[in-house]
Amino acid sequence: MSTNIIRGMDHVGITVSDIDEATRFFADAFGAEVIYDSVAPSDDDVQGEEPEGILNLFPGTKITTVRMMTLKHGPGLELFEMKGPQQSQPVRPSDYGLQHFAVYVDDINDAIRLFERAGGKMFTAPQPLMFPTEVGENNFFCYGRTPWGSVIELISLPAKLPYEDHTSLRRWKP
């Protein structure tokens, strides 16, 4: 089977504790905009065996809101507000599974100010990229936590990356 049918990442799904808080955060921190609600807060909750089976939800979980947002560049953000009898805290980068997504920024210091003003908390100041394949002048990153606990990386890569000398393949940049 050919992979020529693959175009790229469509969206990132994030379960949040408060859909309105998360919407404000992504709008304030990244300029994200609401496209539509697949399940509006005023709709009946989506629940039962069918969504539990389709989405592998813990039995008894109710989907209260699903909202699709857009960023200026890159994949969409699909926010899920769910209430269930068993929910875990967001993972740390050392846990198995999807543990963060990165947002490419032109000015990492301004992006940090927006992130924190929106309610997020950065773990550190911007750091030079740590892997030899990514070092370069003004190539910086930093990780932070959203108000509900998910981890987001801010990254800026204005300089040529050393890996580019060894392959014609390139990382995506807006």
Side-chain angles (χ1 to χ4, degrees):
M1 175 182 270
S2 171
T3 57
N4 291 338
I5 61 170
I6 307 302
R7 291 181 172 244
M9 187 175 292
D10 181 73
H11 67 273
V12 175
I14 306 165
T15 299
V16 300
S17 55
D18 183 315
I19 198 84
D20 294 324
E21 175 190 48
T23 299
R24 277 190 300 280
F25 174 81
F26 283 115
D28 293 348
F30 303 122
E33 297 178 274
V34 174
I35 304 172
Y36 57 85
D37 285 349
S38 299
V39 177
S42 60
D43 293 346
D44 290 335
D45 293 344
V46 176
Q47 58 187 328
E49 289 182 18
E50 185 176 14
E52 288 171 5
I54 292 169
L55 300 176
N56 193 33
L57 304 177
F58 190 85
T61 299
K62 299 175 183 178
I63 302 171
T64 58
T65 310
V66 180
R67 178 167 292 155
M68 185 62 77
M69 299 185 76
T70 183
L71 296 169
K72 183 176 180 183
H73 302 287
L77 300 172
E78 186 176 28
L79 306 181
F80 290 80
E81 183 180 287
M82 298 189 208
K83 306 299 180 198
Q86 186 175 31
Q87 290 179 287
S88 300
Q89 293 301 308
V91 300
R92 291 172 306 202
S94 58
D95 293 329
Y96 294 120
L98 298 174
Q99 40 99 333
H100 82 276
F101 68 90
V103 175
Y104 190 96
V105 300
D106 291 324
D107 184 318
I108 200 159
N109 292 309
D110 280 347
I112 288 169
R113 279 190 282 283
L114 290 170
F115 189 89
E116 290 180 334
R117 189 172 24 191
K121 171 108 174 76
M122 301 312 298
F123 298 158
T124 66
Q127 303 293 309
L129 272 86
M130 60 176 59
F131 302 122
T133 52
E134 300 173 333
V135 297
E137 187 175 343
N138 295 316
N139 288 350
F140 287 101
F141 79 106
C142 57
Y143 280 56
R145 190 170 300 284
T146 64
W148 60 92
S150 294
V151 176
I152 296 177
E153 176 184 359
L154 303 177
I155 189 166
S156 186
L157 304 168
K160 180 181 177 203
L161 301 175
Y163 85 87
E164 295 174 357
D165 293 334
H166 306 287
T167 180
S168 61
L169 298 174
R170 296 293 182 262
R171 291 176 65 143
W172 178 85
K173 281 189 189 179

